Amino acid sequence: MDLGWVITFASPEEMTPQVSVAIEGGSGTAVPDLSIEVDDLDEAMDRVQAAGFAIEYGPVTEGWGVRRFYVRDPFGRLLNILSHT
């Protein structure tokens, strides 16, 4: 996948693992330090909020086929939690 601001490299035979390199976060957001794909975004968001972490962006369905939110880990790193739609 190459959207011009993010490129994802993956095996042509399997989707796991994959690595993406970004120069922006998409939709005018900051570049996240790490993106983590989950099976159930709502469950992940519930668990993040139950642990007392504030959602900084989202949840939102993006035009490139992901639903995601941003949260900061305890060390201040910006995490992009996503699932493909």
Side-chain angles (χ1 to χ4, degrees), residues 1 15 18 34-46 57-70 79-85:
M1 177 185 78
M15 289 302 294
Q18 63 184 15
L34 179 67
S35 294
I36 303 169
E37 185 172 355
V38 297
D39 292 329
D40 187 332
L41 192 77
D42 292 321
E43 178 185 351
M45 192 169 56
D46 289 345
Y57 173 74
V60 64
T61 301
E62 303 287 10
W64 55 90
V66 299
R67 186 165 173 254
R68 67 184 182 150
F69 67 89
Y70 279 9
L79 305 180
N80 175 35
I81 312 298
L82 69 109
S83 64
H84 282 85
T85 55

Side-chain angles (χ1 to χ4, degrees), residues 8-19:
T8 299
F9 302 93
S11 166
E13 298 166 12
E14 285 187 39
M15 289 302 294
T16 320
Q18 63 184 15
V19 174

